[in-house]
Amino acid sequence: MRKFRSRTARLIYLKTLFIFLTVVFVVTTVFISRSLKDFFYNLKISEAENISRSISSDLSHTGESVDLINKLLNDKLLTTAKAVGVNHNVLDKQLLAGLAAAFAVDEVYAYNTDGIVEYSASGKYVGWQTYPGHPVYEFMHSDKESMTEEIRKDSESDLYYKYGYIKAPDGCTIQIGILAETVQIMLESFRLQSLLEKNIDDDVVELFAVNNLYQISASTNSEILNHRILDKELISHLENNKIYGSIKTKTVDGADVYQIYVPLQYKSEHARVVAVSFSLEPINPVIRKTTYISLAGLSIVYLALLIGMIANYFYNRRVYNLAYNDTLTKLPNRISLLGVLERDMEKGQHKRAVIMVRCENMDLINSVYGFEYGDLVFREIANRLKMLENRNIRAFKFTANNFAVYLKNYQDKTELVATLAKIKYLFERPLLIGLESEHLLIKIGVAECTDPNQTAGGLLQNATLALNYSGPSDTVGYHLFDEQMEFKLQREERIEDDIRAGLRDEPSAQLYPEFQPIVDTKSNKITGFELLARLYSQELGQVSPFEFIAIAERKQLINQLSNRMLRAACAFIGQLTREGFGDISVAVNISAIHLLQDNFTAHVLGIVNETGVNGHNLELEITETILMENYGIVNERLKDLRANGIRISIDDFGTGYSSFYRLKELNIDTLKIDRYFINDISKAQKDASITRDIISMAHRLGLETVAEGVELSEQRDYLLEYECDKIQGFLFSKAVPKAEAIELLKNNADCCQ
């Protein structure tokens, strides 16, 4: 599982969060707006319910009153009919008219048994005969003794009456009628219309009632009377006895209203539901004002969250840059490279390679010029690597001193080699930083991804192993990872562990000195020794100095090793002095890294003083290369050391292409001629050898000469012939432990007396 997200993923996350907050803001805004409207609308619903309850209450009382009036009218009709029936034998027009006036009725008819009108209070319709289907006919042929009707239209006069009937004992039928107009006048005060109109005020602009057929049966707005409701949703609510509210635009006097349908508690066939329309003119400003205030507060919260999110974004971007980018070079770092590799491997892109680049003399540059200058060098290296970048090549800062170039989607190894050539070319030119021109010693390690199952970490490890590989790379200028390299690097790791164990005096490894005699060519007398470090590993056996010293330098262990050998040399000088050999010197090799440290001179003098030896007996050997690359600083330090009696020699002279003219200015005492020139000495090449020229020139400069690697007597004879001062090599003795060295010295002293 991947441990780190890419920056793109983080941006997507922030964009998603921004969209989410915006959506929440919009939804909340809409919710608040609707909630406020719902609040005010619920208030109006409560008012509508109160109006409905009031109308229901009035209607319930109206119903009781109407029933009472109807009962009184029915009783009146029947009483009048009975009175007429009692006197039907003496009836005439005048008598009926008098009875009608007395009982306050509008019409009286008397029918004989044949259904013919014999008498009439108004004198009309005498002789008119009823017929089947007519109400009078149906009553006369029914079993009823009396009956009253609802208001109906008279079959002959087209006037509306409320009639009552009674059968006389002799079989005659009496019909009493009251005009509907008279009935309506009596019920006027109880009409539904009146109940609606008395509830109209400034807020309630319209009221109407809906009957069982969903028609408007009564309304304060006459224009909508008898209109039928067709809205299915509204009808569904009303059938389920539910309140229904809706906004109606420009419905009453051109104004918007909130129309609420409330089922009546007291229902009749004429009034099932009452609808109340409230004007929105006074409500809308209050809703808008309250909404604006709420939105202002919500906007402040939203802006605060947005500002916090933006601040968090920039903070996270800074953290991201710190986590995924190198602050010095501005290149993406190791974590970024690991993430890119993992992402590409998930996509199945197998043609890729990691190229590790390291400046080998970076520690030296930091020691000589300081870390600020070293930072400028790092930036320049980064800038040059950036010149390679394209869609398939990216540069990274991998570790403190290592850079990485990631190459993907290349065709074959030819393209890979071409990229390596470009990297080498970038650093062939010296770096110009300020007024200083600096040559960089660049080392390159390469690892290709050849296994589809290889992990990103494994590929980076292989590239690092190739970079740390110490085998020859002069022909191509880089190391390409292979299995043999891995084996060698495993051995180096084992040797590194042994060096550390030896420095801690652990039993798993021994780090100790041996001493090789230096002999005067004329007297054949031992004049000094060179201390040579040795490493014995219980696992690997005896390890060559060429191998473990190089590893110590690469692993930053050389200073500890040099200090250990320097103390061993001083201890040996002290023992020689106590044995009576106070004129014998001991030479110690000093690494470039150690020499270039600011406290080197003070450290050496401190060991000399601590051990109590004479500085004249100590000789420091330095390589020719370090002198030429850091002439000013090194020469000044050599001057301080020589001022304290310590002798200085150049080791392996002749391999660094030094100028003899430059040697004249150096604070040195001895030239040690490299074994390469000594090996050239033979009878066949005696005249061609330049060793004699080196000896001659050194003597002219006032320098002593020591020939290294002398193994043959003819080499000794040649050196003696051309007056080389001293020799060192297997011809006389190999490097031996301290006790054997003292024994050699004693035997040599006896021999030369």
Side-chain angles (χ1 to χ4, degrees):
M1 183 177 65
R2 294 178 57 184
K3 295 182 179 179
F4 305 99
R5 296 179 179 268
S6 67
R7 187 176 183 179
T8 302
R10 290 178 178 271
L11 287 175
I12 292 174
Y13 167 76
L14 289 174
K15 289 179 181 178
T16 304
L17 181 59
F18 172 76
I19 293 172
F20 173 74
L21 286 177
T22 303
V23 170
V24 169
F25 174 76
V26 172
V27 171
T28 306
T29 301
V30 173
F31 173 76
I32 289 177
S33 178
R34 289 184 176 178
S35 296
L36 289 172
K37 289 181 180 180
D38 290 344
F39 172 75
F40 286 104
Y41 292 160
N42 286 334
L43 290 179
K44 294 306 175 185
I45 290 174
S46 296
E47 291 183 32
E49 287 180 314
N50 290 334
I51 292 173
S52 172
R53 281 193 289 270
S54 175
I55 293 174
S56 290
S57 177
D58 290 342
L59 285 175
S60 66
H61 294 309
T62 297
E64 293 172 0
S65 300
V66 170
D67 291 343
L68 179 58
I69 291 172
N70 281 325
K71 184 177 183 302
L72 291 173
L73 287 173
N74 291 338
D75 290 346
K76 179 179 181 179
L77 289 172
L78 294 176
T79 300
T80 303
K82 286 179 180 179
V84 174
V86 171
N87 299 286
H88 74 282
N89 292 324
V90 292
L91 285 177
D92 59 19
K93 177 180 178 182
Q94 292 181 345
L95 179 60
L96 290 179
L99 289 172
F103 285 98
V105 296
D106 296 306
E107 188 61 84
V108 178
Y109 297 104
Y111 293 85
N112 60 23
T113 55
D114 294 327
I116 300 173
V117 176
E118 292 182 341
Y119 300 99
S120 169
S122 62
K124 297 180 179 179
Y125 308 116
V126 175
W128 181 84
Q129 185 175 4
T130 185
Y131 49 85
H134 192 278
V136 177
Y137 180 89
E138 297 299 326
F139 172 73
M140 292 176 63
H141 291 84
S142 68
D143 295 334
K144 296 178 180 179
E145 294 296 323
S146 64
M147 183 184 76
T148 58
E149 288 184 315
E150 295 296 325
I151 295 173
R152 66 175 177 83
K153 184 178 179 182
D154 187 78
S155 60
E156 301 301 324
S157 66
D158 290 334
L159 296 177
Y160 285 85
Y161 286 89
K162 181 176 179 67
Y163 288 112
Y165 305 93
I166 190 170
K167 293 176 181 178
D170 60 356
C172 292
T173 299
I174 306 300
Q175 179 182 12
I176 307 298
I178 301 175
L179 282 170
E181 183 178 353
T182 304
V183 177
Q184 294 299 329
I185 290 172
M186 296 176 66
L187 297 176
E188 182 65 30
S189 61
F190 300 100
R191 290 177 60 229
L192 178 60
Q193 184 71 28
S194 299
L195 297 178
L196 296 178
E197 289 176 352
K198 79 174 186 178
N199 285 284
I200 295 294
D201 57 22
D202 292 338
D203 288 340
V204 179
V205 296
E206 184 180 77
L207 272 168
F208 58 86
V210 179
N211 62 22
N212 287 338
L213 299 177
Y214 297 107
Q215 286 181 314
I216 298 176
S217 57
S219 174
T220 58
N221 181 6
S222 60
E223 295 180 0
I224 64 173
L225 198 60
N226 296 322
H227 285 193
R228 182 181 292 275
I229 295 174
L230 301 175
D231 189 332
K232 293 182 178 179
E233 183 180 359
L234 172 57
I235 292 174
S236 175
H237 276 74
L238 299 182
E239 286 179 347
N240 290 302
N241 209 35
K242 293 182 179 178
I243 296 175
Y244 182 84
S246 64
I247 304 295
K248 300 295 182 181
T249 306
K250 309 297 182 184
T251 56
V252 179
D253 296 331
D256 295 343
V257 298
Y258 183 47
Q259 198 169 78
I260 306 169
Y261 292 81
V262 184
L264 291 167
Q265 293 178 347
Y266 181 85
K267 296 180 176 62
S268 67
E269 61 176 326
H270 299 292
R272 176 191 181 112
V273 175
V274 65
V276 186
S277 296
F278 293 96
S279 174
L280 293 179
E281 292 300 323
I283 298 177
N284 285 337
V286 177
I287 293 176
R288 283 195 295 269
K289 183 178 180 180
T290 309
T291 302
Y292 292 155
I293 294 173
S294 300
L295 289 181
L298 183 62
S299 298
I300 292 173
V301 174
Y302 173 74
L303 289 175
L305 289 174
L306 188 61
I307 292 171
M309 188 183 72
I310 293 173
N312 183 64
Y313 165 73
F314 283 108
Y315 171 76
N316 285 336
R317 190 169 71 173
R318 288 194 298 270
V319 172
Y320 176 90
N321 287 331
L322 291 174
Y324 292 91
N325 293 282
D326 178 63
T327 56
L328 176 63
T329 63
K330 308 305 180 186
L331 287 176
N333 60 15
R334 179 182 62 83
I335 297 175
S336 291
L337 176 56
L338 186 64
V340 170
L341 285 173
E342 288 177 346
R343 185 175 64 250
D344 286 351
M345 288 179 173
E346 288 176 1
K347 294 178 181 178
Q349 299 176 0
H350 304 311
K351 205 66 175 178
R352 67 183 65 88
V354 174
I355 304 169
M356 291 289 180
V357 179
R358 179 169 63 213
C359 178
E360 289 289 88
N361 56 336
M362 198 65 225
D363 289 335
L364 188 59
I365 291 172
N366 285 329
S367 299
V368 175
Y369 299 106
F371 287 99
E372 291 184 3
Y373 183 86
D375 289 345
L376 296 176
V377 172
F378 273 133
R379 289 196 185 102
E380 182 60 26
I381 294 174
N383 291 335
R384 292 195 178 185
L385 290 176
K386 285 179 184 177
M387 296 169 62
L388 295 169
E389 290 190 330
N390 56 42
R391 62 182 299 176
N392 291 326
I393 299 177
R394 289 185 63 186
F396 296 83
K397 182 70 183 303
F398 190 67
T399 58
N401 291 341
N402 296 351
F403 293 82
V405 176
Y406 175 45
L407 174 63
K408 66 178 181 179
N409 297 331
Y410 58 93
Q411 297 298 320
D412 49 31
K413 188 166 288 188
T414 302
E415 187 175 345
L416 173 60
V417 171
T419 302
L420 294 169
K422 291 178 183 178
I423 296 175
K424 289 174 57 181
Y425 175 76
L426 287 175
F427 296 100
E428 287 178 356
R429 297 178 291 112
L431 270 65
L432 185 62
I433 301 176
L435 299 177
E436 298 290 338
S437 179
E438 192 68 42
H439 285 274
L440 300 182
L441 301 178
I442 295 298
K443 188 174 182 182
I444 300 174
V446 188
E448 286 189 280
C449 182
T450 56
D451 183 359
N453 297 319
Q454 188 172 33
T455 64
L459 182 61
L460 293 176
Q461 182 181 8
N462 291 346
T464 304
L465 291 175
L467 180 68
N468 294 330
Y469 185 67
S470 59
S473 63
D474 296 335
T475 55
V476 292
Y478 60 86
H479 291 121
L480 184 63
F481 176 82
D482 57 24
E483 293 182 358
Q484 181 180 2
M485 181 184 298
E486 184 173 15
F487 173 78
K488 187 176 186 300
L489 287 170
Q490 289 174 351
R491 176 178 171 84
E492 285 191 4
E493 290 179 1
R494 178 68 262 174
I495 293 174
E496 178 188 353
D497 292 341
D498 287 334
I499 295 173
R500 295 182 186 277
L503 290 171
R504 294 190 297 264
D505 294 320
E506 294 179 1
S508 60
Q510 298 177 26
L511 195 59
Y512 60 94
E514 287 189 339
F515 303 89
Q516 187 173 35
I518 300 174
V519 180
D520 183 275
T521 53
K522 294 179 180 178
S523 64
N524 210 32
K525 184 178 179 180
I526 297 175
T527 60
F529 291 92
E530 179 182 358
L531 183 149
L532 299 174
R534 296 290 186 260
L535 174 65
Y536 178 80
S537 167
Q538 289 187 357
E539 181 178 340
L540 303 177
Q542 199 71 38
V543 182
S544 166
F546 295 103
E547 188 175 15
F548 77 80
I549 289 177
I551 294 172
E553 288 180 341
R554 288 196 298 274
K555 303 300 182 180
Q556 307 296 317
L557 298 172
I558 192 63
N559 288 353
Q560 299 177 57
L561 179 60
S562 294
N563 288 334
R564 188 183 184 94
M565 294 302 115
L566 187 59
R567 289 183 179 277
C570 290
F572 187 49
I573 291 172
Q575 184 173 354
L576 290 175
T577 301
R578 291 191 295 273
E579 295 281 350
F581 301 103
D583 57 344
I584 300 297
S585 64
V586 178
V588 182
N589 287 282
I590 300 299
S591 74
I593 296 173
H594 198 189
L595 177 61
L596 290 173
Q597 288 195 337
D598 292 338
N599 63 347
F600 174 75
T601 302
H603 189 70
V604 172
L605 295 178
I607 292 177
V608 171
N609 294 331
E610 180 185 335
T611 55
V613 300
N614 194 327
H616 293 283
N617 295 109
L618 180 63
E619 183 174 338
L620 302 182
E621 295 186 5
I622 60 176
T623 61
E624 182 182 3
T625 302
I626 190 175
L627 273 172
M628 296 304 103
E629 290 182 353
N630 305 275
Y631 179 82
I633 295 175
V634 171
N635 200 33
E636 188 65 28
R637 292 181 181 175
L638 297 182
K639 179 181 178 181
D640 293 340
L641 292 169
R642 291 185 76 208
N644 286 276
I646 297 174
R647 293 174 59 82
I648 306 297
S649 63
I650 296 181
D651 194 20
D652 300 330
F653 181 80
T655 60
Y657 308 102
S658 301
S659 167
F660 274 102
Y661 178 79
R662 199 75 179 270
L663 288 176
K664 183 174 66 174
E665 302 173 359
L666 283 174
N667 289 292
I668 59 175
D669 302 286
T670 304
L671 285 184
K672 298 192 74 172
I673 304 170
D674 189 80
R675 66 179 65 244
Y676 171 80
F677 298 101
I678 305 305
N679 290 337
D680 280 347
I681 299 172
S682 65
K683 292 181 179 179
Q685 297 179 329
K686 186 174 181 179
D687 294 334
S689 176
I690 65 170
T691 305
R692 61 185 179 183
D693 299 322
I694 296 174
I695 297 171
S696 176
M697 189 63 67
H699 286 165
R700 291 182 186 180
L701 296 175
L703 301 176
E704 188 178 57
T705 56
V706 177
E708 296 181 295
V710 179
E711 298 179 356
L712 304 173
S713 57
E714 61 180 300
Q715 294 171 341
R716 180 193 58 190
D717 295 341
Y718 176 92
L719 295 169
L720 181 60
E721 179 182 353
Y722 290 102
E723 299 182 345
C724 180
D725 300 300
K726 298 176 183 178
I727 61 173
Q728 174 183 350
F730 285 177
L731 179 64
F732 189 87
S733 174
K734 63 179 182 179
V736 295
K738 180 170 58 177
E740 293 184 29
I742 293 176
E743 190 65 28
L744 280 175
L745 188 59
K746 290 179 178 179
N747 294 336
N748 180 254
D750 294 338
C751 178
C752 295
Q753 285 180 349

